[in-house]
């Protein structure tokens, strides 16, 4: 509900079957609830919500006293690779707004195409970005479709440098 701005909701049956539901409204004023097929983006959001549930459960588990050894909860950092990968534009802003709230430290690995636009804007307003890094590839050639530069926070960064040796540097983005 915090991510998707649509009239959908999720039902979880006693058999743990997850259904995406929607209410249809007819011209005569009647309505009917129906199951809706999951899009790739909705499936990805469902996975993110599952991960968020595990994080919340670990956080709550830390507050419950236990006599069992090794059964403890706590606050843990979260590392996500490509959380915006299959999401359409209609979901990216909501996910970008929500992800920083999941854990005390969140590390996101995203491509430049996933990061631009609504994602960069929402993450920027979250006040949770401590540092940003990018990869700079050095090598004899790059793929034709690969970019040599990218823009983060309005700053142009070089992501490919011609070199006889092949290696990749992790570089911090200096936005000052």
């Amino acid at each position: 509900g915090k991510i998707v701005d649509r009239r959908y909701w999720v039902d979880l049956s006693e058999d743990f079957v997850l259904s995406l539901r929607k209410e249809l409204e007819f011209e005569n004023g009647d309505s009917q609830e129906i199951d809706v097929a999951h899009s790739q983006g909705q499936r990805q959001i469902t996975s993110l919500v599952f991960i968020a549930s595990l994080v919340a459960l670990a956080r709550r588990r830390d507050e419950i006293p236990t006599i069992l050894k090794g059964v403890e909860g706590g606050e843990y950092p979260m590392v996500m690779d490509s959380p915006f990968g299959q999401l359409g534009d209609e979901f990216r802003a909501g996910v970008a707004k929500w992800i920083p709230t999941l854990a005390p430290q969140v590390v996101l690995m995203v491509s430049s195409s996933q990061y631009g636009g609504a994602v960069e804007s929402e993450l920027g307003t979250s006040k949770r970005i401590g540092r940003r890094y990018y990869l700079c590839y050095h090598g004899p050639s790059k793929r034709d479709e690969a970019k040599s530069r990218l823009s983060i926070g309005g700053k142009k960064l070089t992501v490919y440098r011609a070199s006889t040796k092949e290696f990749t540097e992790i570089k911090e983005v200096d936005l000052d």
Side-chain angles (χ1 to χ4, degrees):
K2 293 178 181 178
I3 299 171
V4 181
D5 186 24
R6 293 189 176 183
R7 293 186 194 178
Y8 297 117
W9 66 92
V10 176
D11 277 343
L12 184 63
S13 73
E14 290 182 17
D15 298 335
F16 299 101
V17 175
L18 192 69
S19 300
L20 185 64
R21 312 264 310 154
K22 178 181 180 178
E23 185 173 10
L24 291 178
E25 295 176 2
F26 300 102
E27 289 180 12
N28 66 2
D30 290 344
S31 64
Q32 178 183 359
E33 292 180 8
I34 61 166
D35 286 341
V36 180
H38 292 260
S39 70
Q40 271 306 100
Q42 290 160 333
R43 288 182 192 279
Q44 188 163 351
I45 288 171
T46 302
S47 298
L48 291 172
V49 169
F50 177 74
I51 292 165
S53 299
L54 294 177
V55 171
L57 182 62
R59 188 178 297 133
R60 281 200 309 268
R61 185 71 190 112
D62 193 41
E63 298 168 2
I64 301 170
T66 182
I67 59 171
L68 300 173
K69 289 184 179 182
V71 181
E72 299 171 0
E75 297 273 350
Y76 298 99
M78 178 178 284
V79 178
M80 302 178 108
D81 183 12
S82 194
F84 307 102
Q86 298 296 321
L87 297 178
D89 290 339
E90 72 272 18
F91 296 122
R92 287 186 181 200
V95 171
K97 189 176 202 174
W98 174 67
I99 282 179
T101 67
L102 295 179
Q105 180 182 21
V106 179
V107 176
L108 299 175
M109 292 177 273
V110 298
S111 67
S112 57
S113 62
Q114 293 172 15
Y115 183 72
V119 171
E120 184 174 12
S121 175
E122 285 296 335
L123 289 175
T125 61
S126 76
K127 307 292 188 224
R128 294 279 318 269
I129 295 180
R131 295 187 178 145
R132 300 173 201 199
Y133 298 89
Y134 67 100
L135 301 178
C136 181
Y137 171 71
H138 298 252
S141 64
K142 66 174 183 64
R143 293 189 323 261
D144 290 339
E145 69 273 9
K147 297 177 181 177
S148 295
R149 297 176 66 79
L150 65 90
S151 177
I152 296 178
K155 188 169 191 167
K156 301 287 184 196
L157 306 166
T158 301
V159 294
Y160 169 73
R161 294 189 187 275
S163 171
T164 55
K165 294 183 180 181
E166 189 172 12
F167 63 97
T168 301
E169 287 181 283
I170 300 172
K171 299 182 116 186
E172 186 169 357
V173 178
D174 180 17
L175 293 176
D176 294 333

